[in-house]
Amino acid sequence: MSDALKVWFNGELRDLEDCNVSIRSHALHYGSSVFEGVRVYKTHRGPCAFRLTDHLKRFYWSAGIYRIPMEYPFETLFEACLETVRANGFESAYLRPIAFRGDCGLGVMPGDMNVVETAIIPAEWGTYLGEGVLERGVEVCVSSWQRVAPNTIPAGAKAGGNYLSSFLIVTEARDRGFTEGIALGADGLVSEGSGENVFVINDGRILTPPVSASILGGITRDTAIKLARKLGYELVEQSIAREQLYAADEIFFTGTAVEVTPVRKVDHMTIGDGARGPVTTAIQEAFFGLFDGRTEDEWGWLEPV
């Protein structure tokens, strides 16, 4: 591993301490950034970025929604992600591609729409919600903070400003002694966690809120849906009422950071047997099996570094 962390910043690899931005950056004042989180796994085929192509497609789509012009073509950023992993000598890593409006004036409307900075920040990142949670699960609460209503801001875009909502949800949960929170939408129905999609299982049937429920249409969410259907489970995208959480046999989260994490309690109410259930276990094993060869990567999700 390199002695100093190498970051890809505005077209070149630099030492982390040499990556500086202006305190007048528009993104600092108004949250005008878009980003991604991408896992690189140590696999049976060597280090592989997981669904990097799909993450970068969403990256450019999010930028388009917020009118952030991308200076670098897709192929350049794709190779830059891989180059950043190689430069740091990582066999597994978490990558944070980010594009944000820089020093373009202090008004809400940028003085120059084309002042955009781009970076790819690597990190070594283990289990997001704590050691052992992939086996024992987490305890969560239903947050008092709702997700944004439709036609306020685009919940489906992965933008920096959107995550102020996530901060409030997880901070409240931690203040109340929980690991994470689940937010309801403006309609009072289940939306998502602060950074996770939610899956609810009852009688072997898997439910998850649709993308219209003010959720981020997660790439790990899509992975879990495809794996579940491949395993023969019935999976339906539909609205979920709060009380359905309490009546569930199993619940699990998905996300790049959390991967596939079971939920053992909601609002102090035990879910199922209070342990990782059989459906969650099967999907979790299929997911991690992608990286050791137990699950065939028939979708081309593993992209070699």
Side-chain angles (χ1 to χ4, degrees), residues 9-304:
F9 185 52
N10 290 338
E12 63 182 3
L13 284 169
R14 306 185 192 183
D15 291 336
L16 177 62
E17 58 267 26
D18 294 331
C19 300
N20 300 309
V21 299
S22 171
I23 60 172
R24 297 190 301 184
S25 292
H26 192 272
L28 179 62
H29 296 265
Y30 301 111
S32 55
S33 65
V34 294
F35 69 96
E36 282 295 324
V38 185
R39 287 262 193 183
V40 174
Y41 285 95
K42 181 179 179 180
T43 79
H44 60 295
R45 292 161 44 185
C48 289
F50 184 62
R51 300 190 68 170
L52 176 59
T53 295
D54 294 326
H55 279 285
L56 289 182
K57 284 180 179 177
R58 185 173 63 187
F59 187 47
Y60 280 82
W61 177 75
S62 297
I65 287 176
Y66 277 100
R67 308 298 194 269
I68 297 174
M70 299 295 278
E71 178 179 356
Y72 303 97
F74 184 98
E75 295 76 12
T76 297
L77 289 191
F78 183 92
E79 178 55 35
C81 287
L82 304 182
E83 182 185 11
T84 303
V85 177
R86 293 192 293 262
N88 287 282
F90 291 147
E91 289 188 302
S92 62
Y94 177 88
L95 293 179
R96 171 57 55 84
I98 184 168
F100 57 95
R101 294 195 184 278
D103 187 356
C104 54
L106 295 179
V108 173
M109 184 65 187
D112 184 343
M113 292 285 284
N114 294 312
V115 179
V116 175
E117 308 210 59
T118 310
I120 300 166
I121 307 163
E124 293 184 287
W125 202 344
T127 306
Y128 179 61
L129 294 179
E131 292 302 318
V133 299
L134 295 176
E135 296 79 27
R136 70 172 183 270
V138 293
E139 297 186 15
V140 308
C141 64
V142 174
S143 179
S144 67
W145 293 100
Q146 292 183 335
R147 277 304 196 190
V148 295
N151 212 31
T152 54
I153 60 174
K158 198 170 177 68
N162 294 20
Y163 279 77
L164 284 173
S165 166
S166 299
F167 173 79
L168 292 172
I169 291 164
V170 70
T171 301
E172 178 189 46
R174 297 293 174 90
D175 286 346
R176 292 170 56 188
F178 297 95
T179 300
E180 185 54 281
I182 293 176
L184 306 180
D187 56 4
L189 300 173
V190 173
S191 180
E192 62 181 352
S194 72
E196 308 90 3
N197 293 120
V198 181
F199 290 78
V200 176
I201 301 154
N202 221 317
D203 295 328
R205 186 167 177 260
I206 307 172
L207 307 178
T208 193
V211 292
S212 58
S214 294
I215 70 169
L216 181 74
I219 289 169
T220 310
R221 172 185 180 272
D222 177 71
T223 301
I225 289 171
K226 286 182 169 63
L227 290 174
R229 288 174 173 160
K230 179 72 175 179
L231 291 168
Y233 292 107
E234 180 186 2
L235 190 146
V236 181
E237 298 178 65
Q238 68 167 58
S239 298
I240 298 173
R242 176 175 180 165
E243 61 268 25
Q244 288 178 270
L245 297 174
Y246 306 136
D249 296 325
E250 304 175 45
I251 298 173
F252 64 88
F253 283 144
T254 63
T256 295
V258 299
E259 298 165 304
V260 179
T261 296
V263 173
R264 69 173 184 267
K265 286 186 179 182
V266 179
D267 290 339
H268 300 297
M269 299 181 69
T270 300
I271 304 304
D273 296 328
R276 178 178 55 183
V279 178
T280 303
T281 299
I283 294 170
Q284 197 181 70
E285 288 180 350
F287 175 77
F288 287 107
L290 289 163
F291 314 124
D292 63 17
R294 289 176 292 134
T295 301
E296 181 185 358
D297 179 23
E298 59 186 84
W299 303 271
W301 289 335
L302 300 182
E303 301 181 277

